[in-house]
Amino acid sequence: DKFNQGMVDTAKKNFGGGNTAWEEKTLSKYESSEIRLLEILEGLCESSDFECNQMLEAQEEHLEAWWLQLKSEYPDLFEWFCVKTLKVCCSPGTYGPDCLACQGGSQRPCSGNGHCSGDGSRQGDGSCRCHMGYQGPLCTDCMDGYFSSLRNETHSICTACDESCKTCSGLTNRDCGECEVGWVLDEGACVDVDECAAEPPPCSAAQFCKNANGSYTCEDVDECSLAEKACVRKHENCYNTPGSYVCVCPDGFEETEDACVPPAEAEATEGESPTQLPSREDL
């Protein structure tokens, strides 16, 4: 990839002298020159990339031979260098030591609906790992929850069913062949089962049941969030607990039978002396 990018980066360059026409006529064209090759090679590896530099040193003669003698006959460097010469890769759509065609053919492996094991490498077995919704050796069949919206000799497209369908022939809940768990057939359509309305209830007495499409959840009752207050004393805080709740006065408040008294009010109340009755002499 970096070699190809180097070719792009140097495509509009020349020898760099003042008389380009003379230079190219006398020194041969820069486009196919060894000077251009050296500029490309210099940009292939970072100085700190030991593995890249080691590979470049080992294969430099191959690259030079391709550049000076074989480029016109084999214009695809990857195909000539990686596949045919070094034999470390395969062309796209092929796999394994002998670069055999993937299942479904090298042009559209796995019918375009999956990934071929070992695609482009000398490894793998060419089998298909299908994308979501597809199954079968060539990924042309639809999984449960999907239906075939297009199928011909070259293409197969599977589209997701409505969430209520386990199998289907179309997009809506009226196209179900079989309902999913949590749904039931009613007048030709798969509709949600309200598990919360069942007898006996699915949740414990300390929980409330919340229905959902195809399912339900059991959640703790939060008495503190009910419209009718669970803690009725003035300034009192309510804290929910599993299956119950507690009522607590805020820090610093004085607790009485009918209220949580703020600190300032409590101090004022304590500072008041009882009213003194008049003496007999005063009367």
Side-chain angles (χ1 to χ4, degrees):
D1 288 342
K2 282 193 173 183
F3 194 103
N4 287 333
Q5 185 59 50
M7 291 181 68
V8 172
D9 294 342
T10 59
K12 295 183 179 180
K13 284 189 174 184
N14 52 49
F15 286 107
N19 191 335
T20 302
W22 178 85
E23 288 172 343
E24 292 194 343
K25 181 179 179 181
T26 307
L27 303 176
S28 79
K29 288 190 175 296
Y30 171 81
E31 179 185 2
S32 56
S33 69
E34 197 165 351
I35 291 176
R36 184 184 178 195
L37 171 63
L38 291 174
E39 289 181 0
I40 294 172
L41 295 179
E42 285 174 358
L44 292 183
C45 302
E46 299 291 338
S47 58
S48 59
D49 191 338
F50 175 77
E51 188 176 1
C52 179
N53 281 287
Q54 188 179 44
M55 180 181 178
L56 177 59
E57 184 178 350
Q59 306 302 335
E60 191 169 353
E61 287 186 9
H62 278 128
L63 293 173
E64 186 174 339
W66 175 80
W67 179 264
L68 298 175
Q69 303 167 20
L70 303 170
K71 183 152 61 82
S72 57
E73 185 178 353
Y74 302 101
D76 188 332
L77 175 61
F78 171 80
E79 186 72 18
W80 178 83
F81 183 61
C82 302
V83 179
K84 296 186 180 301
T85 303
L86 298 186
K87 298 184 178 179
V88 293
C89 303
C90 288
S91 300
T94 63
Y95 74 95
D98 300 317
C99 293
L100 302 176
C102 290
Q103 292 289 328
S106 60
Q107 296 303 309
R108 294 185 73 248
C110 306
S111 308
N113 300 324
H115 176 73
C116 167
S117 171
D119 190 350
S121 76
R122 297 277 170 162
Q123 302 174 354
D125 60 8
S127 61
C128 293
R129 186 170 70 248
C130 300
H131 297 156
M132 178 63 71
Y134 297 87
Q135 62 182 359
L138 298 180
C139 302
T140 54
D141 302 323
C142 299
M143 297 174 59
D144 282 355
Y146 292 79
F147 70 98
S148 179
S149 56
L150 172 67
R151 185 159 187 171
N152 55 34
E153 291 183 358
T154 58
H155 289 73
S156 176
I157 298 177
C158 296
T159 302
C161 300
D162 184 84
E163 63 176 335
S164 64
C165 305
K166 183 174 182 181
T167 60
C168 72
S169 58
L171 289 170
T172 75
N173 67 337
R174 292 189 172 276
D175 298 316
C176 301
E178 182 182 351
C179 296
E180 266 288 5
V181 175
W183 307 77
V184 65
L185 190 64
D186 183 18
E187 297 183 357
C190 287
V191 296
D192 176 50
V193 175
D194 185 358
E195 294 87 353
C196 297
E199 289 293 341
C203 301
S204 70
Q207 298 174 310
F208 72 92
C209 181
K210 187 175 182 180
N211 190 52
N213 284 343
S215 186
Y216 68 95
T217 56
C218 294
E219 301 177 4
D220 288 334
V221 176
D222 185 357
E223 294 88 350
C224 297
S225 65
L226 299 177
E228 184 177 347
K229 286 188 175 182
C231 299
V232 297
R233 294 186 298 179
K234 188 176 181 181
H235 301 307
E236 192 170 35
N237 291 332
C238 182
Y239 295 99
N240 188 54
T241 62
S244 186
Y245 65 97
V246 293
C247 300
V248 180
C249 286
D251 288 344
F253 281 58
E254 185 176 315
E255 187 169 350
T256 67
E257 186 175 340
D258 57 358
C260 292
V261 182
E265 291 182 19
E267 290 172 5
T269 302
E270 291 172 2
E272 294 177 358
S273 57
T275 303
Q276 189 174 10
L277 296 174
S279 65
R280 185 175 296 178
E281 288 80 2
D282 292 332
L283 294 172

PDB file of all heavy atoms in Angstrom, residues 233 236 247-250 252-261:
ATOM      1  N   ARG A 233     -45.033  13.191  58.051  1.00  0.00           N
ATOM      2  CA  ARG A 233     -44.608  14.273  58.935  1.00  0.00           C
ATOM      3  C   ARG A 233     -43.911  15.378  58.143  1.00  0.00           C
ATOM      4  O   ARG A 233     -43.242  15.107  57.139  1.00  0.00           O
ATOM      5  CB  ARG A 233     -43.668  13.747  60.022  1.00  0.00           C
ATOM      6  CG  ARG A 233     -44.327  12.794  61.007  1.00  0.00           C
ATOM      7  CD  ARG A 233     -43.394  12.410  62.139  1.00  0.00           C
ATOM      8  NE  ARG A 233     -42.201  11.701  61.661  1.00  0.00           N
ATOM      9  CZ  ARG A 233     -41.234  11.276  62.451  1.00  0.00           C
ATOM     10  NH1 ARG A 233     -41.311  11.495  63.756  1.00  0.00           N
ATOM     11  NH2 ARG A 233     -40.212  10.639  61.960  1.00  0.00           N
ATOM     12  N   GLU A 236     -40.088  15.484  56.590  1.00  0.00           N
ATOM     13  CA  GLU A 236     -39.576  14.113  56.711  1.00  0.00           C
ATOM     14  C   GLU A 236     -39.118  13.564  55.348  1.00  0.00           C
ATOM     15  O   GLU A 236     -39.763  13.790  54.328  1.00  0.00           O
ATOM     16  CB  GLU A 236     -40.680  13.222  57.281  1.00  0.00           C
ATOM     17  CG  GLU A 236     -40.202  11.853  57.734  1.00  0.00           C
ATOM     18  CD  GLU A 236     -41.289  11.117  58.505  1.00  0.00           C
ATOM     19  OE1 GLU A 236     -42.481  11.262  58.181  1.00  0.00           O
ATOM     20  OE2 GLU A 236     -40.936  10.409  59.463  1.00  0.00           O
ATOM     21  N   CYS A 247     -38.873   6.208  57.023  1.00  0.00           N
ATOM     22  CA  CYS A 247     -39.067   7.649  57.140  1.00  0.00           C
ATOM     23  C   CYS A 247     -38.059   8.196  58.145  1.00  0.00           C
ATOM     24  O   CYS A 247     -37.999   7.715  59.287  1.00  0.00           O
ATOM     25  CB  CYS A 247     -40.494   7.954  57.598  1.00  0.00           C
ATOM     26  SG  CYS A 247     -41.774   7.332  56.470  1.00  0.00           S
ATOM     27  N   VAL A 248     -37.268   9.196  57.741  1.00  0.00           N
ATOM     28  CA  VAL A 248     -36.187   9.706  58.572  1.00  0.00           C
ATOM     29  C   VAL A 248     -36.170  11.224  58.519  1.00  0.00           C
ATOM     30  O   VAL A 248     -36.317  11.818  57.442  1.00  0.00           O
ATOM     31  CB  VAL A 248     -34.816   9.157  58.096  1.00  0.00           C
ATOM     32  CG1 VAL A 248     -33.683   9.698  58.971  1.00  0.00           C
ATOM     33  CG2 VAL A 248     -34.810   7.642  58.085  1.00  0.00           C
ATOM     34  N   CYS A 249     -35.960  11.843  59.689  1.00  0.00           N
ATOM     35  CA  CYS A 249     -35.791  13.295  59.722  1.00  0.00           C
ATOM     36  C   CYS A 249     -34.410  13.664  59.186  1.00  0.00           C
ATOM     37  O   CYS A 249     -33.437  12.927  59.387  1.00  0.00           O
ATOM     38  CB  CYS A 249     -35.925  13.820  61.154  1.00  0.00           C
ATOM     39  SG  CYS A 249     -37.630  13.829  61.772  1.00  0.00           S
ATOM     40  N   PRO A 250     -34.277  14.802  58.482  1.00  0.00           N
ATOM     41  CA  PRO A 250     -32.970  15.236  57.991  1.00  0.00           C
ATOM     42  C   PRO A 250     -31.996  15.450  59.145  1.00  0.00           C
ATOM     43  O   PRO A 250     -32.393  15.682  60.297  1.00  0.00           O
ATOM     44  CB  PRO A 250     -33.273  16.560  57.280  1.00  0.00           C
ATOM     45  CG  PRO A 250     -34.733  16.508  56.980  1.00  0.00           C
ATOM     46  CD  PRO A 250     -35.367  15.733  58.088  1.00  0.00           C
ATOM     47  N   GLY A 252     -29.813  16.992  61.856  1.00  0.00           N
ATOM     48  CA  GLY A 252     -29.941  18.245  62.593  1.00  0.00           C
ATOM     49  C   GLY A 252     -31.369  18.599  62.974  1.00  0.00           C
ATOM     50  O   GLY A 252     -31.587  19.500  63.796  1.00  0.00           O
ATOM     51  N   PHE A 253     -32.347  17.943  62.357  1.00  0.00           N
ATOM     52  CA  PHE A 253     -33.751  18.211  62.689  1.00  0.00           C
ATOM     53  C   PHE A 253     -34.136  17.407  63.924  1.00  0.00           C
ATOM     54  O   PHE A 253     -33.686  16.282  64.135  1.00  0.00           O
ATOM     55  CB  PHE A 253     -34.664  17.815  61.525  1.00  0.00           C
ATOM     56  CG  PHE A 253     -34.712  18.825  60.401  1.00  0.00           C
ATOM     57  CD1 PHE A 253     -33.555  19.208  59.718  1.00  0.00           C
ATOM     58  CD2 PHE A 253     -35.917  19.399  60.023  1.00  0.00           C
ATOM     59  CE1 PHE A 253     -33.600  20.130  58.697  1.00  0.00           C
ATOM     60  CE2 PHE A 253     -35.972  20.322  58.991  1.00  0.00           C
ATOM     61  CZ  PHE A 253     -34.815  20.693  58.327  1.00  0.00           C
ATOM     62  N   GLU A 254     -34.997  18.010  64.723  1.00  0.00           N
ATOM     63  CA  GLU A 254     -35.478  17.326  65.924  1.00  0.00           C
ATOM     64  C   GLU A 254     -36.753  16.561  65.587  1.00  0.00           C
ATOM     65  O   GLU A 254     -37.663  17.083  64.937  1.00  0.00           O
ATOM     66  CB  GLU A 254     -35.762  18.346  67.040  1.00  0.00           C
ATOM     67  CG  GLU A 254     -36.160  17.693  68.354  1.00  0.00           C
ATOM     68  CD  GLU A 254     -36.329  18.723  69.457  1.00  0.00           C
ATOM     69  OE1 GLU A 254     -35.462  19.610  69.575  1.00  0.00           O
ATOM     70  OE2 GLU A 254     -37.359  18.638  70.174  1.00  0.00           O
ATOM     71  N   GLU A 255     -36.787  15.318  66.018  1.00  0.00           N
ATOM     72  CA  GLU A 255     -37.913  14.446  65.684  1.00  0.00           C
ATOM     73  C   GLU A 255     -38.997  14.552  66.747  1.00  0.00           C
ATOM     74  O   GLU A 255     -38.748  14.358  67.946  1.00  0.00           O
ATOM     75  CB  GLU A 255     -37.424  13.002  65.557  1.00  0.00           C
ATOM     76  CG  GLU A 255     -38.487  12.046  65.050  1.00  0.00           C
ATOM     77  CD  GLU A 255     -37.913  10.686  64.688  1.00  0.00           C
ATOM     78  OE1 GLU A 255     -36.666  10.561  64.657  1.00  0.00           O
ATOM     79  OE2 GLU A 255     -38.696   9.761  64.439  1.00  0.00           O
ATOM     80  N   THR A 256     -40.210  14.885  66.322  1.00  0.00           N
ATOM     81  CA  THR A 256     -41.376  14.885  67.209  1.00  0.00           C
ATOM     82  C   THR A 256     -42.412  13.947  66.623  1.00  0.00           C
ATOM     83  O   THR A 256     -42.222  13.374  65.548  1.00  0.00           O
ATOM     84  CB  THR A 256     -41.970  16.297  67.347  1.00  0.00           C
ATOM     85  OG1 THR A 256     -42.523  16.695  66.097  1.00  0.00           O
ATOM     86  CG2 THR A 256     -40.914  17.298  67.790  1.00  0.00           C
ATOM     87  N   GLU A 257     -43.508  13.828  67.326  1.00  0.00           N
ATOM     88  CA  GLU A 257     -44.525  12.865  66.903  1.00  0.00           C
ATOM     89  C   GLU A 257     -45.142  13.225  65.559  1.00  0.00           C
ATOM     90  O   GLU A 257     -45.460  12.354  64.753  1.00  0.00           O
ATOM     91  CB  GLU A 257     -45.629  12.765  67.965  1.00  0.00           C
ATOM     92  CG  GLU A 257     -46.654  11.669  67.663  1.00  0.00           C
ATOM     93  CD  GLU A 257     -47.670  11.510  68.769  1.00  0.00           C
ATOM     94  OE1 GLU A 257     -47.401  11.938  69.911  1.00  0.00           O
ATOM     95  OE2 GLU A 257     -48.739  10.959  68.490  1.00  0.00           O
ATOM     96  N   ASP A 258     -45.288  14.523  65.280  1.00  0.00           N
ATOM     97  CA  ASP A 258     -45.992  14.919  64.073  1.00  0.00           C
ATOM     98  C   ASP A 258     -45.144  15.765  63.114  1.00  0.00           C
ATOM     99  O   ASP A 258     -45.668  16.269  62.122  1.00  0.00           O
ATOM    100  CB  ASP A 258     -47.280  15.681  64.427  1.00  0.00           C
ATOM    101  CG  ASP A 258     -46.989  16.913  65.286  1.00  0.00           C
ATOM    102  OD1 ASP A 258     -45.806  17.133  65.623  1.00  0.00           O
ATOM    103  OD2 ASP A 258     -47.939  17.647  65.594  1.00  0.00           O
ATOM    104  N   ALA A 259     -43.857  15.951  63.392  1.00  0.00           N
ATOM    105  CA  ALA A 259     -43.039  16.767  62.492  1.00  0.00           C
ATOM    106  C   ALA A 259     -41.554  16.550  62.739  1.00  0.00           C
ATOM    107  O   ALA A 259     -41.147  16.023  63.786  1.00  0.00           O
ATOM    108  CB  ALA A 259     -43.377  18.242  62.660  1.00  0.00           C
ATOM    109  N   CYS A 260     -40.762  16.966  61.744  1.00  0.00           N
ATOM    110  CA  CYS A 260     -39.312  17.069  61.894  1.00  0.00           C
ATOM    111  C   CYS A 260     -39.035  18.566  62.025  1.00  0.00           C
ATOM    112  O   CYS A 260     -39.242  19.337  61.074  1.00  0.00           O
ATOM    113  CB  CYS A 260     -38.587  16.493  60.681  1.00  0.00           C
ATOM    114  SG  CYS A 260     -38.750  14.703  60.498  1.00  0.00           S
ATOM    115  N   VAL A 261     -38.595  18.991  63.197  1.00  0.00           N
ATOM    116  CA  VAL A 261     -38.482  20.412  63.500  1.00  0.00           C
ATOM    117  C   VAL A 261     -37.100  20.918  63.101  1.00  0.00           C
ATOM    118  O   VAL A 261     -36.082  20.362  63.534  1.00  0.00           O
ATOM    119  CB  VAL A 261     -38.726  20.675  65.000  1.00  0.00           C
ATOM    120  CG1 VAL A 261     -38.655  22.169  65.307  1.00  0.00           C
ATOM    121  CG2 VAL A 261     -40.073  20.105  65.432  1.00  0.00           C
TER     122      VAL A 261
END
